[in-house]
Amino acid sequence: QVQMVQSGAEVKKPGASVKVSCKTSGYTFTDYHIHWVRQAPGQGLEWIGISRSNDDITAYAQKFQGRVTMTRDTSTSTVYMELSSLKSEDTAVYFCAREMELTYLFDYWGQGTLVIVSS
Amino acid sequence: QSALTQPASVSGSPGQSITISCTGTSSDIGAYKYVSWYQQHPGKAPKLMIYDISNRPSGVSNRFSGSKSGNTASLTISGLQAEDEADYHCKSYTTSYSYVFGTGTKVTVL
């Protein structure tokens, strides 16, 4: 069965960086793109960006340009999302989600990773 | 890219029907059929309920239906049940090759 298991909660100080992992299994890793989405406490979902499966290209929401980096390790079917220059407003639960190319839907999600930014 | 606009809350009694709206622009909802809806229970990951405006994934109850008119998409839940109490989020692909989510709607079953 499809599984997307994310790394554990993190507490970071303002200005630091955080790297969250999303380890996938149960499907052909290279057949699906991976998206990252976050949800601040009591707020809606916010799209961060995509790590494409077939050409290793990444694309980020304008808001996160210059602060986010997504990478993938095909040997372990894992995708990483690193966010730098953290601010208190980055406190949120971060989700990974998969999309088969050209379907524009996110059919499986990770369990979420809580990132707290606090001095 | 501004978030799509959803009502903060919608409520209904068991058995009733409710509709959640999701309003965007001609650069997102109005531009494509790629509107989807996600259900999220507290502390859980979102679950896909509707894709391509009105299609249901396998396993999703036919009590859930979707539609679109112009720049506004809608999700209707008929025969409301206690288990439907959750947050609902719309999402659209955009002309900027990105995605935008809605502000989220809390559904309460009275």
Side-chain angles (χ1 to χ4, degrees):
Chain A
Q1 73 283 21
V2 175
Q3 289 194 313
M4 301 178 71
V5 180
Q6 299 183 221
S7 48
E10 303 261 14
V11 179
K12 296 292 183 180
K13 294 197 181 303
S17 297
V18 68
K19 192 170 186 176
V20 181
S21 66
C22 174
K23 183 172 176 58
T24 71
S25 61
Y27 70 94
T28 302
F29 180 66
T30 50
D31 284 350
Y32 288 80
H33 306 320
I34 296 294
H35 295 261
W36 289 91
V37 175
R38 77 178 186 180
Q39 186 172 36
Q43 303 299 308
L45 301 172
E46 182 175 31
W47 184 76
I48 300 172
I50 178 176
S51 171
R52 292 170 51 90
S53 60
N54 51 355
D55 52 19
D56 214 21
I57 286 176
T58 55
Y60 308 129
Q62 192 169 10
K63 175 178 179 176
F64 300 98
Q65 291 273 4
R67 278 210 306 144
V68 68
T69 303
M70 295 177 186
T71 55
R72 55 172 55 211
D73 182 344
T74 302
S75 67
T76 60
S77 301
T78 302
V79 183
Y80 301 89
M81 189 277 304
E82 184 170 23
L83 188 62
S84 62
S85 302
L86 289 169
K87 301 168 273 194
S88 58
E89 307 90 272
D90 294 317
T91 293
V93 176
Y94 289 75
F95 294 99
C96 59
R98 76 169 197 176
E99 175 212 351
M100 179 175 277
E101 187 173 24
L102 299 180
T103 60
Y104 307 94
L105 60 91
F106 302 171
D107 63 348
Y108 278 90
W109 295 64
Q111 84 277 17
T113 296
L114 175 61
V115 174
I116 296 173
V117 183
S118 174
S119 55
Chain B
Q1 187 77 46
S2 298
L4 307 174
T5 301
Q6 297 181 233
S9 62
V10 174
S11 62
S13 300
Q16 286 188 329
S17 292
I18 61 169
T19 296
I20 303 167
S21 62
C22 172
T23 301
T25 69
S26 57
S27 296
D28 37 66
I29 292 178
Y32 300 106
K33 69 173 185 176
Y34 306 123
V35 177
S36 47
W37 290 88
Y38 299 84
Q39 176 192 64
Q40 185 181 30
H41 287 106
K44 300 295 186 181
K47 174 188 175 183
L48 178 67
M49 303 301 284
I50 294 286
Y51 66 95
D52 292 356
I53 299 174
S54 59
N55 293 308
R56 280 186 312 275
S58 173
V60 172
S61 171
N62 58 10
R63 298 185 298 105
F64 292 84
S65 61
S67 63
K68 185 186 102 165
S69 177
N71 297 335
T72 298
S74 298
L75 173 72
T76 297
I77 309 174
S78 58
L80 200 60
Q81 299 180 1
E83 67 212 48
D84 301 331
E85 186 161 295
D87 293 328
Y88 291 82
H89 308 273
C90 58
K91 173 178 118 287
S92 176
Y93 188 60
T94 83
T95 55
S96 302
Y97 308 105
S98 63
Y99 289 88
V100 61
F101 282 92
T103 49
T105 297
K106 180 176 179 60
V107 168
T108 301
V109 181
L110 302 171

